[in-house]
């Protein structure tokens, strides 16, 4: 079913290919890997194109579409489909939720539009599209795997995904889902934000204590990597980490490690995905893209940026811990202003929501400046089901102050003008204090 609709889409695309092509892709790992697959596909067709990587498809971005070009949107567009009835021919490959009124100028692949829904990320869809154009593109399957891991979809292996995994020659190893699994363990643990290990994350002394307790010692100059541990060592390390996490949380971090070939070396797909995401969030999406395209210089730059990114995350967490927050009964507002990058605030809000800093169900609202705007990320602490729908909450507040918002039940976000900073905080307080009274 999905393959049939992809083949039809590819046919339409090949008919359009004589026109100049402009690719617009989302800046996260799924968007970047999708863009890399499409770039390679067009290159192999000897087709020239231009490309832009963006954080969000706003009206301003839509107004900037080059008028004379065919547009292809990757990992974007479904949420803004109503705004895309334009003169341009537009192709969309995306997996986000969508309303069903598709404008005439738009051709789209989105699993939500099919009768039989199968969960696939944009990189997987782009890979299937690319493979339907030429079998030669089968060697791009590792990028589909990295995109899928980036969108944390590896726990649901459906028929199509299973086939892609086989095509990508992935090696799967059962163990702790802490990454990177191919770097020395002391660094892996100290920088681990998922899980956030109390007394270990961000604490080198605590990390050494944990390794000592697990009986893991340095071999030569460094500690072993996770994938090099013996079964016995893996068991001891798992126990030591388990003692520091809640049993519910712990279960989430046991599973399969996906090992792929990247730059001719076996790598943890999680790690590569994290590097791509980090470069983009540090404002260097072009490096992420070049890395996916196999550029060696980009690889070196990406490693350095990744290091910097992890330091930013750790110092962001420290900043949040030490600075004043607006604390209500069931919510907390963290207003980082210009002290944390807008592209990192969502990641930090997620890390805090997974840690045990706030009680289950607390609404975490984190804010950071983005030039004349404010980026806001909302998350629900813990992992239990809650009746709270963050998307509805954020939509209702953003809509009162001309903000652009979206997301889903447990993770939502919006962008507002800076002049509405106080008003936004006031509306959040009103909303939740009113809800408390209502209860
Ligand atoms: O950016 P963040 O990770 O906080 O986003 C959480 C969710 O909210 C994502 O699904 C994102 O696409 C959505 N969002 C949105 N519009 C915004 C900000 C976030 O749709 N302005």
């Amino acid at each position: 079913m999905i393959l049939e609709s992809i083949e039809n889409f590819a046919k339409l695309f090949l008919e359009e290919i004589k026109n100049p092509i402009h690719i617009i892709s989302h800046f996260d790992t799924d968007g970047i890997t999708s863009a890399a697959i499409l770039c390679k596909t067009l290159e192999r067709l000897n087709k020239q194109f231009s490309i832009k990587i963006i954080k969000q498809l706003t009206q301003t971005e839509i107004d900037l579409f080059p008028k004379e070009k065919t547009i292809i949107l990757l990992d974007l567009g479904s949420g803004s489909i109503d705004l895309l009835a334009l003169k341009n021919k537009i192709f969309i490959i995306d997996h986000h939720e969508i309303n069903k009124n598709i404008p005439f100028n738009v051709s789209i692949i989105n699993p939500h539009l099919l009768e039989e829904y199968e969960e696939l990320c944009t990189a997987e869809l782009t890979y299937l599209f690319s493979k339907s154009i030429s079998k030669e593109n089968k060697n791009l399957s590792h990028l589909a795997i990295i995109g899928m891991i980036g969108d944390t979809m590896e726990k649901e292996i459906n028929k199509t995904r299973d086939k892609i995994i086989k095509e990508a020659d992935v090696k799967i190893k059962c163990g702790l889902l802490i990454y990177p699994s191919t770097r020395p363990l002391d660094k892996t643990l100290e920088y681990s934000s998922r899980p956030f290990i109390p007394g270990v994350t961000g604490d080198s002394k605590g990390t050494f204590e944990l390794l000592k307790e697990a009986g893991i010692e340095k071999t030569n100059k460094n500690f072993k990597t996770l994938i090099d541990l013996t079964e016995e060592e893996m068991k001891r390390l798992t126990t030591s980490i388990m003692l520091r996490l809640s049993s519910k949380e712990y279960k989430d971090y046991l599973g399969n490690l996906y090992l792929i070939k990247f730059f001719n070396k076996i790598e943890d797909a999680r790690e590569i995905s994290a590097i791509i995401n980090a470069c983009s969030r540090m404002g260097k999406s072009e490096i992420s893209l070049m890395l996916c395209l196999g550029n060696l210089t980009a690889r070196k730059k990406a490693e350095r940026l990744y290091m910097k990114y992890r330091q930013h995350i750790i110092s962001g967490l420290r900043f949040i811990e030490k600075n004043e927050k607006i604390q209500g009964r069931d919510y907390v507002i963290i207003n980082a202003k210009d002290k944390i990058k807008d592209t990192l605030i969502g990641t930090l809000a997620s890390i805090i929501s997974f840690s045990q800093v706030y009680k289950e169900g607390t609404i975490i609202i984190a804010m950071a400046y983005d030039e004349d705007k404010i980026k806001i990320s909302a998350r629900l602490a813990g992992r239990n089901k809650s009746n709270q729908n963050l998307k509805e909450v954020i939509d209702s507040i953003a809509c009162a102050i001309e903000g652009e918002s979206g997301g889903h039940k447990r993770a939502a976000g919006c962008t507002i003008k800076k002049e509405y900073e106080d008003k936004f905080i006031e509306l959040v307080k009103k909303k939740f204090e009113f809800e408390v009274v209502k209860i």
Side-chain angles (χ1 to χ4, degrees):
M1 180 81 172
I2 182 99
L3 293 182
E4 202 181 301
S5 97
I6 285 175
E7 266 168 33
N8 291 335
F9 178 92
K11 254 188 229 150
L12 284 175
F13 181 77
L14 289 174
E15 280 166 20
E16 225 11 78
I17 206 164
K18 52 191 179 303
N19 296 328
I21 305 270
H22 184 62
I23 307 170
I24 302 175
S25 189
H26 189 226
F27 85 142
D28 73 1
T29 301
D30 189 25
I32 299 276
T33 44
S34 306
I37 295 171
L38 187 58
C39 288
K40 273 274 179 225
T41 309
L42 292 174
E43 202 183 291
R44 287 172 179 171
L45 289 169
N46 275 327
K47 179 74 205 157
Q48 284 199 346
F49 55 89
S50 51
I51 181 160
K52 187 172 183 190
I53 309 284
I54 62 175
K55 282 193 247 179
Q56 209 190 323
L57 190 63
T58 56
Q59 184 61 58
T60 317
E61 285 296 345
I62 295 173
D63 294 341
L64 288 171
F65 282 3
K67 301 274 175 287
E68 75 292 1
K69 293 191 179 180
T70 294
I71 307 289
I72 174 149
L73 299 176
L74 298 173
D75 205 33
L76 294 163
S78 296
S80 330
I81 200 84
D82 300 340
L83 308 175
L84 295 175
L86 306 169
K87 287 219 173 86
N88 300 74
K89 172 71 193 161
I90 301 178
F91 288 89
I92 302 177
I93 306 181
D94 192 15
H95 67 117
H96 293 98
E97 279 184 29
I98 183 162
N99 92 39
K100 296 203 165 129
N101 299 322
I102 313 293
F104 283 123
N105 59 316
V106 173
S107 299
I108 179 165
I109 300 178
N110 183 325
H112 290 286
L113 294 170
L114 299 176
E115 264 168 45
E116 262 174 63
Y117 175 76
E118 200 178 11
E119 182 198 70
L120 291 168
C121 70
T122 304
E124 290 172 309
L125 296 166
T126 312
Y127 167 69
L128 295 173
F129 159 76
S130 166
K131 205 176 60 158
S132 87
I133 287 182
S134 164
K135 292 281 166 279
E136 182 194 5
N137 296 328
K138 236 177 164 177
N139 67 357
L140 304 176
S141 49
H142 63 291
L143 292 169
I145 299 295
I146 299 169
M148 181 270 287
I149 297 275
D151 269 9
T152 57
M153 290 184 171
E154 70 276 15
K155 285 207 170 143
E156 193 194 309
I157 308 293
N158 50 41
K159 225 168 97 194
T160 309
R161 178 161 297 146
D162 187 49
K163 199 159 171 252
I164 300 176
I165 290 173
K166 289 194 175 108
E167 285 172 0
D169 200 15
V170 178
K171 290 206 172 40
I172 296 181
K173 182 174 169 153
C174 188
L176 270 169
L177 295 184
I178 292 181
Y179 70 83
S181 59
T182 53
R183 302 280 184 277
L185 258 176
D186 53 335
K187 292 289 162 229
T188 302
L189 294 171
E190 187 184 340
Y191 285 105
S192 171
S193 52
R194 281 195 192 178
F196 181 98
I197 313 169
V200 176
T201 299
D203 184 340
S204 54
K205 206 167 142 246
T207 303
F208 287 122
E209 274 163 20
L210 179 133
L211 286 168
K212 201 166 155 209
E213 183 188 304
I216 296 169
E217 285 172 7
K218 274 187 184 175
T219 48
N220 302 325
K221 268 203 270 166
N222 280 327
F223 281 99
K224 277 187 182 176
T225 69
L226 199 65
I227 57 168
D228 290 334
L229 292 182
T230 62
E231 220 173 286
E232 195 46 47
E233 285 169 329
M234 182 74 99
K235 269 191 203 150
R236 290 201 303 264
L237 180 70
T238 306
T239 309
S240 295
I241 291 178
M242 184 175 77
L243 292 171
R244 288 161 172 84
L245 301 175
S246 74
S247 57
K248 241 186 280 151
E249 191 178 15
Y250 166 72
K251 280 194 196 113
D252 287 351
Y253 294 100
L254 266 187
N256 290 330
L257 295 164
Y258 283 70
L259 303 175
I260 51 161
K261 227 181 188 181
F262 196 67
F263 283 83
N264 263 330
K265 220 177 121 204
I266 299 294
E267 295 279 2
D268 182 353
R270 236 164 254 276
E271 172 77 346
I272 305 301
S273 157
I275 295 177
I276 295 166
N277 176 56
C279 294
S280 258
R281 289 185 186 271
M282 294 296 280
K284 301 280 180 199
S285 299
E286 69 284 3
I287 293 182
S288 307
L289 182 60
M290 293 305 286
L291 170 71
C292 290
L293 291 171
N295 181 293
L296 209 58
T297 317
R299 164 118 221 192
K300 287 185 188 132
K301 286 187 184 164
E303 296 275 358
R304 284 199 293 273
L305 265 172
Y306 183 42
M307 199 51 144
K308 236 179 165 177
Y309 168 84
R310 295 199 291 185
Q311 284 158 358
H312 268 69
I313 292 289
I314 296 287
S315 57
L317 287 172
R318 286 209 188 105
F319 173 86
I320 293 172
E321 188 190 323
K322 293 211 169 83
N323 285 276
E324 212 178 301
K325 291 160 279 280
I326 302 170
Q327 177 89 58
R329 205 183 80 169
D330 296 309
Y331 67 89
V332 59
I333 304 173
I334 300 162
N335 188 357
K337 297 187 182 256
D338 59 355
K339 298 289 184 266
I340 291 175
K341 270 179 186 288
D342 62 297
T343 47
L344 301 190
I345 200 72
T347 308
L348 289 166
S350 293
I351 295 171
I352 294 168
S353 74
F354 285 120
S355 74
Q356 284 154 20
V357 178
Y358 294 105
K359 74 172 191 315
E360 191 85 31
T362 305
I363 294 163
I364 297 162
I365 308 243
M367 306 165 64
Y369 292 168
D370 173 15
E371 295 174 11
D372 59 342
K373 299 212 169 80
I374 303 179
K375 168 73 207 305
I376 295 153
S377 288
R379 301 287 186 273
L380 269 177
R383 50 204 71 225
N384 275 354
K385 290 211 168 76
S386 155
N387 289 332
Q388 207 50 267
N389 183 332
L390 285 187
K391 177 173 159 32
E392 282 172 12
V393 170
I394 294 295
D395 279 348
S396 72
I397 298 176
C399 141
I401 47 176
E402 302 168 42
E404 292 185 315
S405 61
H408 42 100
K409 235 180 135 189
R410 301 191 66 89
C414 67
T415 311
I416 59 166
K417 289 186 191 148
K418 222 178 196 171
E419 64 211 61
Y420 289 124
E421 181 172 1
D422 293 338
K423 183 81 189 158
F424 175 82
I425 294 174
E426 193 191 307
L427 287 171
V428 172
K429 283 183 181 169
K430 251 197 199 150
K431 173 104 195 144
F432 295 118
E433 267 138 38
F434 172 69
E435 292 212 339
V436 172
V437 173
K438 224 170 53 177
I439 291 161

